[in-house]
Amino acid sequence: MSNTDTISDSLSRINLIDNTHNKGFTMTFQNRITVSIRWGEMNYSDGKTTAECAAWDADTPHTPYKWVHVIGFDYNNDDVLGHLTSDDVAKFIYMASTMTLGVNG
């Protein structure tokens, strides 16, 4: 959050999703990286203690995404990380929010 952002500005960049198959949210940061955190039955998650995480360039069309691999995670030839613990999800969000597209993203 920059000095010019309000809490309302930051919250407006969060998109909450809640249905039986796909629970979670997306957030777009000022660095133009969007993160997706999901824990529904259609995700790489146990639905309770782990979550699926992905990140992409917010300025690309929805399909196909220009995926961003967040620093500090092993993607194993995929664009989505599965079964991350709450500590790993927090790290994922923080690292994505501090990256610079084109330099380390």
Side-chain angles (χ1 to χ4, degrees), residues 2 6 12 16-17 22 25 29 32 34 46 48 51-53 55 58 70 72-73 75 81 84-85 99 105:
S2 77
T6 65
S12 72
L16 297 175
I17 307 227
N22 190 10
F25 60 92
F29 300 108
R32 304 307 300 149
T34 297
D46 67 8
K48 294 181 182 186
E52 170 187 298
C53 297
V70 175
F73 293 91
Y75 281 80
L81 297 167
L84 271 64
T85 65
M99 292 174 60

Side-chain angles (χ1 to χ4, degrees), residues 10-98:
S10 297
L11 290 175
S12 72
R13 293 190 294 265
I14 299 174
N15 179 25
L16 297 175
I17 307 227
D18 186 13
N19 62 54
T20 57
H21 300 293
N22 190 10
K23 295 176 187 276
F25 60 92
T26 59
M27 302 171 71
T28 300
F29 300 108
Q30 287 186 328
N31 62 3
R32 304 307 300 149
I33 293 175
T34 297
V35 297
S36 169
I37 313 299
R38 300 283 189 268
W39 56 87
E41 62 187 53
M42 300 299 290
N43 306 108
Y44 300 125
S45 161
D46 67 8
K48 294 181 182 186
T49 62
T50 64
E52 170 187 298
C53 297
W56 60 86
D57 181 338
D59 294 324
T60 60
H62 291 341
T63 310
Y65 291 117
K66 181 180 176 192
W67 296 104
V68 173
H69 286 191
V70 175
I71 297 168
F73 293 91
D74 183 2
Y75 281 80
N76 295 316
N77 298 317
D78 201 344
D79 294 313
V80 176
L81 297 167
H83 303 281
L84 271 64
T85 65
S86 57
D87 286 344
D88 287 335
V89 170
K91 177 182 173 186
F92 180 86
I93 292 170
Y94 172 76
M95 294 302 290
S97 73
T98 60

